[in-house]
Protein backbone atom coordinates (compact mmCIF):
# COMPACT_ATOMS: atom_id res chain seq x y z
CA UNK A 1 0.00 0.00 0.00
CA UNK A 2 1.35 3.39 -0.99
CA UNK A 3 0.90 6.58 0.99
CA UNK A 4 0.10 9.75 -0.96
CA UNK A 5 2.61 12.41 -0.05
CA UNK A 6 1.27 15.95 -0.16
CA UNK A 7 3.65 18.78 -0.86
CA UNK A 8 2.70 21.78 1.34
CA UNK A 9 4.65 24.05 -0.94
CA UNK A 10 2.55 23.11 -3.93
CA UNK A 11 -0.71 23.71 -2.03
CA UNK A 12 0.40 27.19 -0.98
CA UNK A 13 1.37 27.97 -4.53
CA UNK A 14 -2.07 27.10 -5.89
CA UNK A 15 -4.09 28.89 -3.16
CA UNK A 16 -5.77 32.10 -4.37
CA UNK A 17 -4.20 35.31 -3.10
CA UNK A 18 -6.03 37.11 -0.27
CA UNK A 19 -8.39 39.87 -1.31
CA UNK A 20 -7.08 43.38 -0.98
CA UNK A 21 -9.61 45.72 0.64
CA UNK A 22 -7.27 48.70 0.81
CA UNK A 23 -8.33 52.06 -0.60
CA UNK A 24 -11.97 51.01 -0.12
CA UNK A 25 -12.02 49.01 -3.34
CA UNK A 26 -14.48 46.48 -1.92
CA UNK A 27 -18.01 47.62 -2.95
CA UNK A 28 -19.45 45.82 0.06
CA UNK A 29 -17.50 48.02 2.45
CA UNK A 30 -17.94 51.62 1.31
CA UNK A 31 -16.31 54.39 3.29
CA UNK A 32 -18.71 55.93 5.81
CA UNK A 33 -17.73 59.48 6.76
CA UNK A 34 -17.62 60.22 10.46
CA UNK A 35 -20.48 62.40 11.69
CA UNK A 36 -19.49 66.01 12.31
CA UNK A 37 -18.72 66.96 15.88
CA UNK A 38 -21.43 69.14 17.44
CA UNK A 39 -20.53 72.80 17.84
CA UNK A 40 -19.70 73.49 21.44
CA UNK A 41 -20.60 76.81 23.00
CA UNK A 42 -18.83 78.67 25.76
CA UNK A 43 -19.71 75.98 28.30
CA UNK A 44 -18.42 73.17 26.11
CA UNK A 45 -19.66 69.70 27.02
CA UNK A 46 -21.34 71.13 30.14
CA UNK A 47 -23.84 73.23 28.18
CA UNK A 48 -26.67 70.63 28.03
CA UNK A 49 -26.43 70.14 31.79
CA UNK A 50 -26.51 73.87 32.57
CA UNK A 51 -29.24 74.56 30.01
CA UNK A 52 -31.47 71.91 31.58
CA UNK A 53 -31.81 74.07 34.71
CA UNK A 54 -33.31 77.05 32.87
CA UNK A 55 -37.05 76.68 33.43
CA UNK A 56 -39.53 78.08 30.91
CA UNK A 57 -42.99 79.28 31.84
CA UNK A 58 -45.04 80.14 28.73
CA UNK A 59 -47.54 83.00 28.66
CA UNK A 60 -46.26 84.58 31.86
CA UNK A 61 -46.35 87.33 33.02
CA UNK A 62 -48.56 87.98 30.00
CA UNK A 63 -49.82 86.22 26.89
CA UNK A 64 -47.17 85.53 24.28
CA UNK A 65 -44.24 85.88 26.68
CA UNK A 66 -42.12 83.00 27.98
CA UNK A 67 -40.50 83.55 31.36
CA UNK A 68 -36.97 82.15 31.77
CA UNK A 69 -36.19 81.30 35.38
CA UNK A 70 -32.58 80.69 36.49
CA UNK A 71 -33.44 79.94 40.13
CA UNK A 72 -32.81 76.21 39.73
CA UNK A 73 -29.54 76.88 37.90
CA UNK A 74 -28.20 79.03 40.70
CA UNK A 75 -29.35 76.48 43.29
CA UNK A 76 -27.39 73.65 41.63
CA UNK A 77 -23.76 73.81 42.73
CA UNK A 78 -22.47 71.99 39.66
CA UNK A 79 -24.34 74.19 37.17
CA UNK A 80 -23.32 77.37 38.97
CA UNK A 81 -19.69 76.27 39.12
CA UNK A 82 -19.63 75.50 35.39
CA UNK A 83 -20.86 79.04 34.65
CA UNK A 84 -18.37 80.78 36.93
CA UNK A 85 -15.49 78.54 35.77
CA UNK A 86 -16.25 79.29 32.12
CA UNK A 87 -16.25 83.04 32.72
CA UNK A 88 -13.12 82.86 34.87
CA UNK A 89 -11.28 80.97 32.15
CA UNK A 90 -12.17 83.65 29.60
CA UNK A 91 -11.41 86.70 31.72
CA UNK A 92 -8.60 85.49 33.94
CA UNK A 93 -5.13 86.88 33.49
CA UNK A 94 -5.12 89.99 35.62
CA UNK A 95 -6.22 92.55 33.01
CA UNK A 96 -9.48 93.35 34.87
CA UNK A 97 -9.71 95.56 37.93
CA UNK A 98 -13.47 95.32 38.61
CA UNK A 99 -16.56 93.30 37.83
CA UNK A 100 -19.80 95.28 37.60
CA UNK A 101 -23.22 93.69 38.10
CA UNK A 102 -26.61 95.15 37.18
CA UNK A 103 -29.28 95.25 39.89
CA UNK A 104 -30.20 92.67 40.91
CA UNK A 105 -29.49 89.26 39.33
CA UNK A 106 -26.21 90.55 37.96
CA UNK A 107 -25.03 90.80 41.56
CA UNK A 108 -25.14 87.02 41.98
CA UNK A 109 -22.93 86.08 39.06
CA UNK A 110 -20.79 89.20 39.16
CA UNK A 111 -19.84 88.97 42.81
CA UNK A 112 -18.90 85.29 42.54
CA UNK A 113 -16.76 86.02 39.46
CA UNK A 114 -15.10 89.02 41.15
CA UNK A 115 -14.08 86.84 44.09
CA UNK A 116 -12.73 84.18 41.70
CA UNK A 117 -10.69 86.72 39.69
CA UNK A 118 -9.53 88.72 42.72
CA UNK A 119 -11.28 91.87 41.46
CA UNK A 120 -13.37 94.53 43.10
CA UNK A 121 -17.14 94.42 42.59
CA UNK A 122 -19.40 97.29 41.53
CA UNK A 123 -23.13 97.33 42.17
CA UNK A 124 -25.04 99.21 39.48
CA UNK A 125 -28.22 100.18 41.30
CA UNK A 126 -31.67 101.12 40.11
CA UNK A 127 -33.00 104.57 40.91
CA UNK A 128 -34.00 105.11 44.54
CA UNK A 129 -31.62 102.50 45.98
CA UNK A 130 -28.75 104.89 46.80
CA UNK A 131 -28.86 107.97 49.09
CA UNK A 132 -28.26 111.26 47.29
CA UNK A 133 -25.75 112.56 49.83
CA UNK A 134 -25.09 116.16 50.78
CA UNK A 135 -24.85 117.44 47.23
CA UNK A 136 -27.54 115.66 45.23
CA UNK A 137 -26.35 117.06 41.92
CA UNK A 138 -22.89 115.50 42.17
CA UNK A 139 -23.05 112.57 44.60
CA UNK A 140 -24.54 110.13 42.04
CA UNK A 141 -23.89 109.39 38.38
CA UNK A 142 -27.12 108.44 36.60
CA UNK A 143 -28.08 107.06 33.20
CA UNK A 144 -31.61 106.62 31.85
CA UNK A 145 -32.79 103.79 29.61
CA UNK A 146 -36.01 102.79 27.92
CA UNK A 147 -38.23 100.15 29.49
CA UNK A 148 -41.27 98.38 28.12
CA UNK A 149 -43.66 100.55 30.14
CA UNK A 150 -41.63 103.75 30.45
CA UNK A 151 -38.09 104.75 31.39
CA UNK A 152 -35.73 103.47 34.06
CA UNK A 153 -32.56 104.82 35.59
CA UNK A 154 -29.29 103.27 36.76
CA UNK A 155 -26.97 104.88 39.29
CA UNK A 156 -23.55 104.54 40.91
CA UNK A 157 -21.75 106.85 43.38
CA UNK A 158 -19.86 109.64 41.64
CA UNK A 159 -16.71 108.88 43.66
CA UNK A 160 -16.91 105.17 42.87
CA UNK A 161 -13.24 104.73 41.97
CA UNK A 162 -11.72 107.48 44.09
CA UNK A 163 -11.47 105.32 47.19
CA UNK A 164 -9.62 102.50 45.38
CA UNK A 165 -5.96 102.36 44.45
CA UNK A 166 -6.80 101.73 40.79
CA UNK A 167 -5.93 104.65 38.54
CA UNK A 168 -7.32 103.14 35.31
CA UNK A 169 -10.36 100.97 36.07
CA UNK A 170 -10.93 98.18 33.55
CA UNK A 171 -14.40 96.75 34.10
CA UNK A 172 -16.31 93.70 32.91
CA UNK A 173 -20.09 94.19 32.99
CA UNK A 174 -22.06 91.09 34.03
CA UNK A 175 -25.79 90.38 34.01
CA UNK A 176 -28.04 87.34 33.93
CA UNK A 177 -29.78 88.06 30.62
CA UNK A 178 -29.53 90.28 27.56
CA UNK A 179 -32.64 90.94 25.45
CA UNK A 180 -32.94 94.29 23.67
CA UNK A 181 -29.73 95.58 25.23
CA UNK A 182 -31.14 98.85 26.56
CA UNK A 183 -30.15 98.26 30.18
CA UNK A 184 -26.67 97.03 29.27
CA UNK A 185 -26.02 100.04 27.02
CA UNK A 186 -27.08 102.39 29.82
CA UNK A 187 -24.81 100.56 32.27
CA UNK A 188 -21.85 100.89 29.91
CA UNK A 189 -22.44 104.64 29.51
CA UNK A 190 -22.84 104.98 33.27
CA UNK A 191 -19.52 103.28 34.01
CA UNK A 192 -17.74 105.33 31.37
CA UNK A 193 -19.08 108.54 32.87
CA UNK A 194 -17.74 107.36 36.24
CA UNK A 195 -14.25 106.96 34.72
CA UNK A 196 -14.05 103.28 33.75
CA UNK A 197 -13.02 101.46 30.59
CA UNK A 198 -15.48 98.70 29.64
CA UNK A 199 -13.74 95.53 28.47
CA UNK A 200 -16.79 93.48 27.49
CA UNK A 201 -20.33 92.54 28.51
CA UNK A 202 -20.89 88.97 29.71
CA UNK A 203 -24.32 87.41 30.31
CA UNK A 204 -25.62 84.03 31.32
CA UNK A 205 -28.43 84.03 28.73
CA UNK A 206 -28.68 85.86 25.42
CA UNK A 207 -32.03 86.18 23.70
CA UNK A 208 -31.80 86.33 19.93
CA UNK A 209 -34.61 86.77 17.41
CA UNK A 210 -35.50 89.13 14.55
CA UNK A 211 -37.26 91.38 17.09
CA UNK A 212 -34.55 91.17 19.77
CA UNK A 213 -31.12 92.41 18.68
CA UNK A 214 -29.31 93.16 21.93
CA UNK A 215 -25.91 92.02 20.66
CA UNK A 216 -26.10 94.31 17.64
CA UNK A 217 -27.34 97.22 19.74
CA UNK A 218 -24.44 96.86 22.16
CA UNK A 219 -22.00 96.93 19.27
CA UNK A 220 -23.60 99.87 17.45
CA UNK A 221 -24.63 102.06 20.40
CA UNK A 222 -22.11 101.22 23.12
CA UNK A 223 -19.24 99.89 20.95
CA UNK A 224 -18.93 96.83 23.17
CA UNK A 225 -18.76 93.12 22.35
CA UNK A 226 -21.00 90.56 24.03
CA UNK A 227 -20.08 87.17 25.46
CA UNK A 228 -22.93 84.82 26.40
CA UNK A 229 -22.91 81.37 27.98
CA UNK A 230 -26.34 80.28 26.69
CA UNK A 231 -28.40 81.48 23.76
CA UNK A 232 -32.16 81.17 23.36
CA UNK A 233 -33.63 82.07 19.98
CA UNK A 234 -37.36 81.53 20.52
CA UNK A 235 -39.57 84.35 19.29
CA UNK A 236 -41.46 86.05 22.07
CA UNK A 237 -39.21 84.69 24.81
CA UNK A 238 -38.17 87.16 27.47
CA UNK A 239 -37.29 87.31 31.15
CA UNK A 240 -38.69 90.39 32.83
Amino acid sequence: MSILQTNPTSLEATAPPPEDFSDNEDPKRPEIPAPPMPRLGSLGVHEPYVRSFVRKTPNWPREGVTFLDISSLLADVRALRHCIDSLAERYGGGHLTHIAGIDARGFTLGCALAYRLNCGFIMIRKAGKLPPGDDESSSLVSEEYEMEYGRGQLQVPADLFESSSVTTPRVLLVDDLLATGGTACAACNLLRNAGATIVEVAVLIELSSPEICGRRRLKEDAYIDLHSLLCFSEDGTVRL
Side-chain angles (χ1 to χ4, degrees):
M1 182 177 67
S2 63
I3 300 177
L4 180 62
Q5 298 290 335
T6 302
N7 187 350
T9 304
S10 62
L11 290 178
E12 292 176 1
T14 58
E19 294 185 64
D20 184 10
F21 293 129
S22 62
D23 299 328
N24 300 311
E25 294 178 354
D26 183 10
K28 298 180 181 179
R29 300 174 60 184
E31 181 181 3
I32 301 176
M37 290 293 292
R39 180 182 178 275
L40 298 179
S42 303
L43 289 165
V45 296
H46 306 300
E47 179 173 332
Y49 181 83
V50 175
R51 184 180 288 267
S52 69
F53 286 93
V54 180
R55 295 188 297 186
K56 299 181 181 181
T57 304
N59 299 318
W60 195 89
R62 65 180 188 275
E63 189 71 22
V65 172
T66 299
F67 182 86
L68 298 181
D69 184 15
I70 63 170
S71 300
S72 297
L73 189 157
L74 297 177
D76 185 83
V77 61
R78 180 180 164 193
L80 179 59
R81 180 180 292 274
H82 287 326
C83 293
I84 299 302
D85 286 350
S86 178
L87 293 173
E89 182 178 359
R90 179 177 179 85
Y91 298 109
H95 64 286
L96 295 175
T97 62
H98 296 81
I99 307 296
I102 300 177
D103 196 347
R105 277 169 284 260
F107 295 173
T108 304
L109 297 173
C111 198
L113 182 60
Y115 176 81
R116 178 71 181 274
L117 297 181
N118 194 30
C119 294
F121 180 69
I122 298 169
M123 296 188 296
I124 299 179
R125 307 303 303 270
K126 295 177 181 177
K129 299 294 185 66
L130 292 173
D134 296 333
D135 185 359
E136 186 174 351
S137 62
S138 61
S139 61
L140 297 176
V141 179
S142 303
E143 185 75 22
E144 289 190 349
Y145 62 99
E146 293 184 0
M147 300 173 61
E148 188 174 5
Y149 301 109
R151 298 185 65 84
Q153 191 177 71
L154 299 176
Q155 296 177 329
V156 293
D159 58 350
L160 182 64
F161 300 109
E162 293 180 5
S163 59
S164 68
S165 59
V166 178
T167 57
T168 307
R170 294 179 54 83
V171 180
L172 171 70
L173 179 63
V174 175
D175 203 4
D176 66 326
L177 182 141
L178 183 89
T180 62
T183 307
C185 284
C188 289
N189 293 334
L190 180 69
L191 291 171
R192 283 174 174 148
N193 291 335
T197 297
I198 313 302
V199 175
E200 201 168 48
V201 174
V203 297
L204 174 58
I205 297 174
E206 174 189 2
L207 297 183
S208 177
S209 74
E211 295 78 22
I212 302 176
C213 307
R215 178 183 289 269
R216 185 175 65 188
R217 183 175 181 181
L218 267 178
K219 190 68 173 179
E220 294 177 352
D221 295 352
Y223 312 104
I224 292 295
D225 291 324
L226 173 72
H227 175 69
S228 59
L229 297 182
L230 298 173
C231 184
F232 287 82
S233 57
E234 295 182 61
D235 294 340
T237 301
V238 70
R239 195 277 307 138
L240 297 177

